[in-house]
Structure formats: structure tokens, C-alpha cells
Amino acid sequence: LDVAATALRTWEVGATKFLRPPEHRALLELFKPLSDVSCVAAGGYEDAERRVLLVGRPDVLDGLGEEALADDAIAAVAIEGKFEFDAAGHRDFLGSVLKLGIEREFLGDIIVLPDGEGAQVVATPGVADMLEASLTRVRSVTVSCKRIPLDELRPQPLRRKDVTAVEASLRLDAVASGGMGISRGVASDMAKAGDILLNWRPAKAAKEVASGDVITIRGAGRVEVHDIDLTAKGKFRIKMTRLS
């Protein structure tokens, strides 16, 4: 809201920090009925999860165009190295970036590329400059970083599959296990390591899942939870969509 007030006063476009999907969706709904201020969400590519909101007077936003606005507010960096000898996942790239003292709210999505090609990071322009200058290692791999145009981002396509699992409880690790087709033990270990998120936030393995929740498994995809019914034996039949 402070960004909106500044945009109204200065007739300039303001940008929030990167927001999780529930946050930017809620703010977009909040701004919808307003006539003197508008906003668009930008994350670098069409299906980006983490996005900034670009806020301004409607005529100013329309005059600049969404692509130009995004280019001013966010940037992309390619991280390259010989990862075929030491494979790195989402957590590795994120951890290496955060070790530079960069806060998560200044980072958008991290796209891990296939076949050891490295990763692409969406960030604020200032953080993109910092990555180019300071990020030199991920795991044991020496890396180089360079700015790339947003249209060179290569998000990996997600495959959708409807799945149904029957579980004895609605614990996060149990539902993640059934939704992603991995063992309960693996799901539990991933939750303890912070690699499973519930509605884009870290959660304990014992946290109960509800209809409408989204479970994100870092490096594997996510699960959207739909209907939950009780079976005749008192277990939970859970209908989900797996995106991986």
C-alpha cells in the first residue's frame, strides 16, 4: 500500500519486492475495484510463481506497456558451470545466492536447467548485478554469472497428472508422498530439510493438509490438493493434481 501511495503522489510506477503466489494474488484482487491506481504482476515469464507487483496510475501503466515495466523492475542471470560432474539442485543454487547476504524477497524464481547446464535466476536489477560480480561457486563447481534478457529464460514445462491417494492421515509428509509417488520416509526427510513447502511456506512434516492447499517439492514439482473424503475404513481418499 505504501508503494501505491507513492505511485499516486509521484505519477511514477512503483514495484514491490518479490511476493509468493497467495500474496500477489490477494493484492491483485485488492486493487481491482480501485479506479485511480492499478497494478500488474511480473515474474519474468508466464507461469512464474514469485512475482513483483508493478503499481501506478492506470494511464501511466498503459502508456509504458507490461514488457517495458518488467524490464525496469526485474532482471535475469544465467549461472553457468560444469555441473555434469557435481549436480546441483534448486536448494544448492538458492543456498549459494543467500550466502552472499541477499534476502529471499529480492529473488524471484530459480530455474534449474537440465543436463547440468546450470540455472537461471530472476531477481531485482541490483541483485542481478551483485550475482554477476560476486557469485563464483555452487557446491564444488566454479561458476560464472551473466545477465540475460528475460525472453531467454527457459522455464521447464510442467506435466499435469491427476492422482488419487489413500492415506491414514493428512500429515504433510503422507500427502506429499502419495501426491508425488515417493516413499513416506523420503518425504519426511525432505520436509525436515526444508525441501517441502505448504502454500509456499516451510512446514513441519506433521502439519495437516487441507483441500485447496498447494505442496511444493523443491526440485520435483508441486501437488495441488483437491477433494478429501473418508473411506469406509476411516482413511483419507485424496484427489490431487501432480505438476512435475
Side-chain angles (χ1 to χ4, degrees), residues 7-213:
L8 285 172
R9 186 177 66 253
T10 63
W11 287 77
E12 295 180 349
V13 176
T16 67
K17 297 173 183 177
F18 280 94
L19 306 171
R20 298 175 299 110
E23 296 169 334
H24 62 67
R25 289 169 185 165
L27 286 173
L28 285 171
E29 288 298 317
L30 179 66
F31 280 105
K32 264 186 180 179
L34 304 180
S35 59
D36 54 351
V37 65
S38 184
C39 66
V40 295
Y45 60 99
E46 184 177 356
D47 293 324
E49 288 193 356
R50 296 177 62 84
R51 298 170 182 251
V52 298
L53 284 189
L54 306 169
V55 185
R57 292 179 179 270
D59 50 345
V60 175
L61 289 178
D62 292 342
L64 292 174
E66 188 170 336
E67 185 173 328
L69 289 168
D71 284 338
D72 286 340
I74 57 179
V77 174
I79 303 175
E80 299 175 341
K82 295 182 178 179
F83 290 102
E84 60 267 28
F85 302 113
D86 188 6
H90 184 282
R91 191 180 185 201
D92 299 307
F93 288 106
L94 177 60
S96 296
V97 172
L98 296 181
K99 284 179 181 177
L100 298 177
I102 296 169
E103 296 183 18
R104 187 67 175 98
E105 59 195 4
F106 296 108
L107 297 169
D109 288 358
I110 296 176
I111 301 168
V112 180
L113 301 176
D115 303 322
E117 293 184 63
Q120 297 173 328
V121 180
V122 180
T124 61
V127 165
D129 291 341
M130 186 175 179
L131 292 178
E132 276 194 291
S134 303
L135 185 63
T136 59
R137 185 171 296 274
V138 176
R139 292 180 60 87
S140 66
V141 179
T142 299
V143 301
S144 61
C145 299
K146 65 177 181 180
R147 290 275 287 267
I148 59 173
L150 294 176
D151 61 11
E152 289 186 14
L153 288 169
R154 294 163 53 196
Q156 303 305 297
L158 293 176
R159 296 167 298 193
R160 301 179 64 93
K161 181 179 181 180
D162 292 330
V163 296
T164 299
V166 176
E167 302 292 341
S169 78
L170 294 175
R171 285 173 52 109
L172 175 60
D173 54 357
V175 180
S177 169
M180 289 302 296
I182 58 179
S183 74
R184 175 76 172 271
V186 168
S188 180
D189 289 343
M190 292 184 72
K192 291 175 183 176
D195 288 332
I196 295 184
L197 309 179
L198 182 61
N199 298 323
W200 293 276
R201 288 187 180 276
K204 293 182 178 180
K207 176 73 174 179
E208 282 205 350
V209 172
S211 177
D213 284 345

